[in-house]
Amino acid sequence: MRISHCLPKTSFSSPIMSSGSASLMWFRKGLRIHDNPALEYASKGAKFVYPVFVVDPHYMEPDPTAFSPGSSRAGLNRIRFLLESLVDLDLSLKKLGSRLLVFKGEPSEILIRCLQEWDVNKLCFEYDTDPYYQALDMKVKDYASTAGIEVFSPVSHTLFNPADIIQKNGGKPPLTYQSFLKLAGQPSWASSPLPVSLSSLPPVGDVGNFEISEVPTVEELGYKGYGQEELSPFRGGESEALKKLRESINDKEWVANFEKPKGDPSAYLTPATTVLSPYLKFGCLSSRYFYQCLTDVYNNVKKHTAPPVSLVGQLLWRDFFYTVAFGTPNFDRMKGNRICKQIPWSNDDELLAAWREARTGYPWIDAIMVQLRKWGWMHHLARHCVACFLTRGDMFVHWEKGRDVFDRLLIDSDWAINNGNWLWLSCSSFFYQYNRIYSPVSFGKKYDPNGNYIRHFLPVLKGMLKLHPLYVFFFGLV
Ligand code: FAD
């Protein structure tokens, strides 16, 4: 297998002519077949569809200087999760008579070259509110419109279009969940079933001189010599997402009674929540389809919980943060962010490293940080505990530094949600009860009285438990 660096062997001046219309479907997030309006539109009436994914060095280039295996922006677990999702997508496309065309390089350059080389008259991709994609998409859209190519970029990553909510609110994002709910109402698409399957897709057209490769492995991307020790138990891909979704919604009682923040953050054999966040992050699972499945369950039970604590309520939190993030300049930093309290945080890198490397001396905090490094996922309340500890709870380190660590290591790392929750936990925005902190000892003890979670993620303490019961006593394991 080879990753193409995507330099076609001939000049781009003479496009390959195909008879009939052709579309380019650009996958970025939205790595799924079900409820994918961009893919549906791309295939409508088209003789050929080119499904393209670009391996972007901005996110994927190995960084040997980073504090853990991975690139400067993404830990290896998330990179692996993405590659698994691409393999799954490619398999699904092949079943429908198509395949994924994988390139490597700066996405806008590659997309423009593809548009120049292939005789494409429609460019389709899911709308993305992240600042990185906003800038990237502008370049590609500009080229497409000057070349007379139709661009279709629907909002399908979230339940609502953040721009609509902001417009309804007079141009500003709502800053409370309740006001968001009032403005949002019911999603417009919710009254009819979403399309969840396709019977076939138009074939891929002539790719000309492009070298097309299969989905690369982590080794082919330049990541070598990393053992299974760091391997997250969660596998990427739409198939896995739909399987996990079915497992969750089949338990109607569990769905109907779901109530967050109740739930055990130390439950690691069977997590207390759905663990669908990494699939939502990459769009292996449509949040709209998830929402529709949940409302189906609600319609078939006598009573169920409601937002903000219900499962639908969790999806609405996701949309809430997307909306505020989209409508707030400098949402990801303290300076220049009008909704963020200006707090003289410390930039103590030694404290930050102790937190990041699970060396705080508090087993509950350290175990959560190990789970983050190894699994790339932790329960919501566990995230609360370590984010509070790093910032207002104990270390007084800047929330942006903790945000960066989460951003790199989480497999569900999501620009809007991660920044939104760090603003929340550091009492910089949304939530201001600065003195309501999580004890790094008694909070963990409440859920993990026998230290099972701590022993699992900090096996070094297993031996210490036997040898030094006093250590155990002082550090709150018994
Ligand atoms: P479930 O409880 O099963 O919820 C279903 C879905 O609802 C989730 O998958 C998620 O998409 C959404 N959701 C749940 N809680 C929240 C929330 N508080 N805010 C927004 N959406 C929510 N979540 C991310 O997806 N990416 C992040 O980068 C991220 N960073 C976080 C950082 C901090 C400091 C904190 C405290 C929370 C963060 N969260 C993040 C939110 C939350 O912890 C996770 O979404 C959740 O734990 C994922 O597990 P789940 O899929 O089992 O959630």
Side-chain angles (χ1 to χ4, degrees):
M1 265 185 295
R2 207 170 40 227
I3 310 162
S4 164
H5 287 265
C6 204
L7 293 170
K9 288 171 198 146
T10 53
S11 89
F12 300 113
S13 52
S14 53
I16 293 155
M17 298 307 289
S18 55
S19 51
S21 62
S23 313
L24 195 160
M25 170 64 205
W26 181 17
F27 283 100
R28 306 96 66 82
K29 295 173 189 153
L31 302 177
R32 63 175 184 267
I33 304 294
H34 72 280
D35 184 32
N36 191 333
L39 179 63
E40 228 184 293
Y41 191 77
S43 46
K44 209 176 262 172
K47 191 162 179 199
F48 303 109
V49 173
Y50 295 88
V52 166
F53 183 87
V54 184
V55 173
D56 185 350
H58 177 77
Y59 286 116
M60 310 279 262
E61 191 79 4
D63 179 359
T65 67
F67 66 79
S68 74
S71 72
S72 59
R73 288 184 177 80
L76 195 53
N77 269 329
R78 188 159 81 252
I79 290 174
R80 204 178 259 134
F81 192 95
L82 168 60
L83 297 179
E84 287 164 357
S85 303
L86 294 174
V87 168
D88 186 63
L89 178 66
D90 185 40
L91 279 174
S92 303
L93 289 170
K94 282 177 176 154
K95 283 183 197 150
L96 295 168
S98 181
R99 64 162 292 190
L100 194 62
L101 307 172
V102 181
F103 298 97
K104 185 183 174 199
E106 201 285 311
S108 68
E109 277 174 25
I110 290 182
L111 257 288
I112 291 170
R113 286 175 188 174
C114 289
L115 293 173
Q116 287 169 336
E117 180 84 352
W118 302 333
D119 185 22
V120 163
N121 57 4
K122 272 195 282 183
L123 168 66
C124 304
F125 57 92
E126 186 179 63
Y127 188 76
D128 198 315
T129 50
D130 286 12
Y132 178 72
Y133 283 98
Q134 289 275 306
L136 183 65
D137 295 356
M138 194 63 80
K139 288 191 221 162
V140 179
K141 272 197 223 166
D142 280 354
Y143 172 80
S145 42
T146 46
I149 296 166
E150 179 190 351
V151 177
F152 182 68
S153 184
V155 175
S156 50
H157 189 63
T158 44
L159 305 175
F160 300 91
N161 182 347
D164 288 348
I165 309 265
I166 291 168
Q167 197 194 1
K168 275 193 200 167
N169 199 38
K172 283 191 175 166
L175 294 179
T176 66
Y177 184 77
Q178 288 308 329
S179 58
F180 168 82
L181 291 190
K182 258 194 217 150
L183 289 160
Q186 292 301 311
S188 54
W189 45 264
S191 48
S192 40
L194 292 162
V196 288
S197 61
L198 288 174
S199 52
S200 68
L201 280 170
V204 175
D206 186 346
V207 293
N209 291 307
F210 279 104
E211 264 179 52
I212 306 297
S213 67
E214 298 292 321
V215 176
T217 60
V218 280
E219 289 78 18
E220 283 166 332
L221 285 179
Y223 298 99
K224 296 213 165 65
Y226 301 116
Q228 299 289 302
E229 199 220 342
E230 302 283 333
L231 198 62
S232 168
F234 308 115
R235 303 276 64 86
E238 179 183 20
S239 308
E240 186 66 18
L242 293 175
K243 190 172 130 225
K244 276 181 110 60
L245 173 69
R246 269 192 299 275
E247 282 164 10
S248 287
I249 57 172
N250 280 348
D251 192 343
K252 293 190 172 45
E253 210 183 307
W254 183 78
V255 170
N257 294 324
F258 185 95
E259 209 175 325
K260 224 157 143 192
K262 285 186 190 161
D264 179 356
S266 73
Y268 63 94
L269 293 172
T270 308
T273 53
T274 62
V275 195
L276 286 170
S277 50
Y279 305 92
L280 290 165
K281 181 244 152 55
F282 285 111
C284 303
L285 175 65
S286 149
S287 63
R288 311 189 313 172
Y289 182 55
F290 186 9
Y291 179 99
Q292 206 159 65
C293 292
L294 293 173
T295 45
D296 281 352
V297 172
Y298 294 162
N299 290 337
N300 286 298
V301 292
K302 280 202 185 105
K303 66 180 182 101
H304 58 83
T305 51
V309 298
S310 62
L311 263 176
V312 157
Q314 304 314 303
L315 287 179
L316 291 162
W317 277 115
R318 178 175 181 269
D319 262 56
F320 167 70
F321 284 123
Y322 265 82
T323 307
V324 186
F326 186 59
T328 308
N330 303 318
F331 184 70
D332 59 354
R333 62 195 86 135
M334 182 176 83
K335 291 205 174 117
N337 178 350
R338 68 176 177 84
I339 68 164
C340 179
K341 274 203 184 308
Q342 304 297 302
I343 296 172
W345 298 109
S346 121
N347 281 310
D348 189 325
D349 283 338
E350 274 180 34
L351 288 180
L352 176 74
W355 177 80
R356 189 181 64 211
E357 289 157 19
R359 291 190 280 105
T360 67
Y362 288 97
W364 173 245
I365 298 296
D366 291 345
I368 297 169
M369 294 308 288
V370 172
Q371 189 183 14
L372 169 62
R373 202 189 67 227
K374 292 198 167 182
W375 286 27
W377 184 91
M378 315 89 91
H379 184 275
H380 185 58
L381 285 179
R383 300 181 195 208
H384 270 235
C385 289
V386 292
C388 177
F389 185 86
L390 180 75
T391 55
R392 67 197 161 89
D394 236 270
M395 292 180 155
F396 205 68
V397 170
H398 204 309
W399 63 268
E400 290 174 16
K401 299 219 168 205
R403 180 275 319 275
D404 287 343
V405 173
F406 269 38
D407 187 37
R408 223 182 138 260
L409 294 180
L410 282 172
I411 52 172
D412 63 23
S413 165
D414 179 298
W415 185 78
I417 307 179
N418 196 30
N419 281 297
N421 276 283
W422 275 96
L423 284 164
W424 183 298
L425 262 298
S426 61
C427 276
S428 298
S429 199
F430 309 115
F431 172 79
Y432 301 106
Q433 285 169 284
Y434 192 89
N435 294 318
R436 254 185 73 185
I437 62 159
Y438 294 89
S439 159
V441 176
S442 58
F443 188 83
K445 249 171 144 177
K446 183 172 141 196
Y447 291 101
D448 190 29
N450 302 318
N452 296 337
Y453 172 82
I454 288 173
R455 281 190 191 85
H456 182 81
F457 288 104
L458 289 177
V460 66
L461 288 188
K462 269 185 195 165
M464 295 188 86
L465 273 170
K466 281 182 214 131
L467 291 172
H468 301 293
L470 277 179
Y471 178 96
V472 173
F473 175 79
F474 282 120
F475 284 93
L477 277 172
V478 291

